[in-house]
């Protein structure tokens, strides 16, 4: 096929699914790009999905198809969708096709472009740069579910439990300590959330080292389905060509699978479990296996995952979690009780919580803390019925310390400062360990529980306790 491409004609339009006939040329390859000139609008971009017969292909539109008519001319170049990569896209907001959407100047004409469909790096070349701890400054994550530099972490939670806030806080937390490039993929995001993130990044000075890639909720399923591929392609270019570390943030990976399910339905495939597409597992794998460290640079992925109806056995949730090094589970009950971030320490896990990686002390403390919190959870029904007075001395002590641990793991965030009036805190892992050790050893047994709520290190709690004791003395 020549570089100038060949021309076909639209023969059927069914929403985002378009059939195109090429009667005088070879069919364009699967996953290659088609383009249709639209009067008074930008060209409509399609992606070839299947070959129906020797002359007809079925394609998925990445933009709205309103106004498209049969017999419209379709240009096929035989190449995949190519998006701009490199330093030119830093500080910019682009869409799934690489078009700039931040109302800024156009990208330079000589900007390098790269196809969005690339194989994962060979297994022998991956992993050499990964494995170290990736400190976030968020106590409950660094303690119970530490992240790996060059690894994959996912935050699972239902609607309204704080996934997006946690992602935004992680972006803030990485600005000072993380020297690298950030790529943010907004998959099926609300326009309001995208605008808030863009203005917040401009205000905080993070934007010059960040690329924002959006496929919004109101866009066709094809756009939401391919947005992660665009973001990954940009991250891969920084990794392979510039050998720079990349922090890849995705919010929300469930919307990627939801869009794939919509595309599958439009293509007439029979649904599989719970109505999902039959290709669910392979779609997740094709995305996650490309997130890898290679070429002497690490790609660290942090992904938010919506859990439909808080059902953690949902096929989409289980398919994603099987690829993760760290899983952070957000609890609706903790959010309702006012513990933010609402991370459930008993449900969260990490392959890095190993004595050989985090050290014997951290591992032993995490086991002790989990035992205390698990015992408190077991006793909650008894406490609700009879109160703590009916418990034995050992159980009363376990409950007292578990309640203080719960409050210690709450933390004020920088991104919520405007709403709460409380300055955000970032806590080093060593300070988190010393705080947990002190609480488990009984140092805070006589402190007011409020002294440990929404603080940074234990020193903040000590100051609050001293101030509280002083005010009580004055009142007396």
């Amino acid at each position: 096929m020549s570089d100038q491409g060949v021309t076909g004609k639209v023969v059927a339009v069914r929403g985002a699914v378009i059939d195109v006939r090429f009667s005088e040329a070879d069919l364009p390859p699967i996953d290659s790009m088609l383009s249709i000139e639209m009067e008074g609008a930008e060209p409509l971009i399609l992606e070839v999905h299947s070959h129906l017969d020797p002359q007809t292909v079925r394609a998925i539109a990445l933009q709205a198809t309103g106004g498209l008519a049969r017999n419209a001319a379709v240009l096929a170049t035989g190449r995949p969708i190519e998006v701009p990569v490199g330093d030119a896209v830093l500080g910019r907001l682009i869409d799934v096709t690489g078009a700039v959407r931040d109302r800024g100047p156009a990208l330079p004409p000589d900007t390098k472009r790269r196809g969005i469909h690339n194989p994962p790096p060979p297994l022998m070349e991956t992993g050499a740069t990964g494995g170290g701890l990736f400190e976030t400054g968020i106590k409950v994550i660094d303690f119970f579910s530490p992240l790996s530099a060059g690894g994959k972490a996912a935050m699972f939670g239902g609607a309204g439990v704080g996934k997006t806030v946690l992602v935004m806080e992680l972006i803030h937390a990485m600005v000072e300590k993380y020297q690298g490039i950030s790529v943010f993929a907004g998959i099926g995001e609300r326009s309001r959330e995208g605008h808030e993130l863009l203005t917040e990044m401009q205000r905080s000075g993070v934007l010059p080292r960040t690329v924002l890639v959006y496929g919004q909720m109101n866009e066709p399923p094809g756009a939401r389905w391919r947005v992660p591929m665009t973001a990954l392609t940009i991250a891969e270019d920084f990794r392979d060509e510039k050998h720079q570390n990349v922090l890849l943030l995705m919010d929300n990976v469930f919307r990627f699978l939801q869009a794939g399910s919509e595309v599958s339905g439009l293509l007439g495939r029979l649904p599989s479990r719970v109505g999902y597409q039959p290709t669910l597992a392979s779609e997740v794998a094709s995305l996650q296996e490309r997130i890898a460290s290679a070429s002497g640079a690490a790609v660290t992925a942090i992904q938010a995952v919506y859990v439909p109806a808080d059902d953690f056995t949902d096929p989409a949730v289980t398919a994603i979690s099987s690829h993760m090094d760290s899983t952070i589970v957000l609890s609706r009950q903790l959010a309702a009780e006012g513990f933010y971030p609402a991370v459930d320490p008993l449900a969260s896990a990490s392959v890095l919580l190993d004595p050989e990686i985090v050290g014997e002390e951290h591992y032993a403390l995490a086991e002790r803390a989990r035992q205390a919190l698990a015992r408190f959870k077991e006793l909650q029904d008894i406490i609700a019925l009879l109160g703590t007075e009916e418990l034995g001395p050992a159980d009363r002590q376990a409950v007292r310390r578990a309640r203080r641990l719960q409050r210690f793991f709450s933390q004020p965030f920088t991104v919520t400062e405007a709403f709460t009036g409380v300055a955000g805190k970032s806590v080093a892992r060593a300070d988190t360990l010393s705080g947990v050790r002190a609480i488990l050893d009984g140092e805070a047994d006589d402190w007011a529980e409020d002294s440990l709520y929404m603080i940074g290190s234990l020193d903040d709690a000590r100051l609050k306790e001293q101030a509280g004791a002083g005010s009580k003395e004055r009142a007396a």
Side-chain angles (χ1 to χ4, degrees), residues 333-334 337 339 346 373-388 391 399 402-403 406-407:
Q333 182 183 348
L334 288 172
E337 292 173 10
F339 295 115
L346 300 177
L373 292 167
R375 185 63 183 150
F376 177 44
K377 191 172 184 179
E378 288 171 10
L379 294 168
Q380 276 182 329
D381 287 343
I382 297 171
I383 293 167
L385 288 170
L386 304 173
T388 53
L391 300 175
V399 168
R403 287 177 62 88
Q406 269 191 338
R407 281 150 182 78

Side-chain angles (χ1 to χ4, degrees), residues 311-472:
D311 178 13
F312 286 88
T313 64
D314 187 89
V317 175
T318 55
I320 295 167
S321 62
S322 65
H323 291 269
M324 296 298 143
D325 303 314
S326 305
T327 54
I328 300 159
V329 176
L330 297 172
S331 160
R332 188 170 300 283
Q333 182 183 348
L334 288 172
E337 292 173 10
F339 295 115
Y340 289 101
V343 175
D344 184 346
L346 300 177
S348 303
S350 172
V351 296
L352 276 79
L353 195 58
D354 182 295
E356 293 186 4
I357 299 173
V358 296
E360 292 284 351
E361 182 196 17
H362 184 158
Y363 181 76
L365 278 173
E367 288 298 297
R368 286 179 64 193
R370 277 215 172 103
Q371 286 169 4
L373 292 167
R375 185 63 183 150
F376 177 44
K377 191 172 184 179
E378 288 171 10
L379 294 168
Q380 276 182 329
D381 287 343
I382 297 171
I383 293 167
L385 288 170
L386 304 173
T388 53
E389 295 77 15
E390 299 300 316
L391 300 175
D395 283 340
R396 273 207 302 274
Q397 184 186 77
V399 168
R400 189 183 307 121
R401 291 177 183 175
R403 287 177 62 88
R404 281 159 176 76
L405 270 179
Q406 269 191 338
R407 281 150 182 78
F408 175 68
F409 283 119
S410 65
Q411 186 171 341
F413 281 172
T414 305
V415 294
T416 58
E417 192 174 324
F419 309 104
T420 62
V422 181
K425 303 271 185 175
S426 178
V427 184
R429 187 169 69 102
D431 291 338
T432 301
L433 295 182
S434 63
V436 173
R437 190 189 313 108
I439 292 168
L440 290 173
D441 290 344
E443 186 180 322
D445 282 1
D446 297 327
W447 294 7
E449 290 180 357
D450 279 354
S451 298
L452 293 142
Y453 180 66
M454 281 294 172
I455 55 159
S457 66
L458 198 69
D459 290 337
D460 296 341
R462 201 173 276 114
L463 291 172
K464 278 178 76 174
E465 180 64 20
Q466 290 167 359
S471 62
K472 285 176 189 171

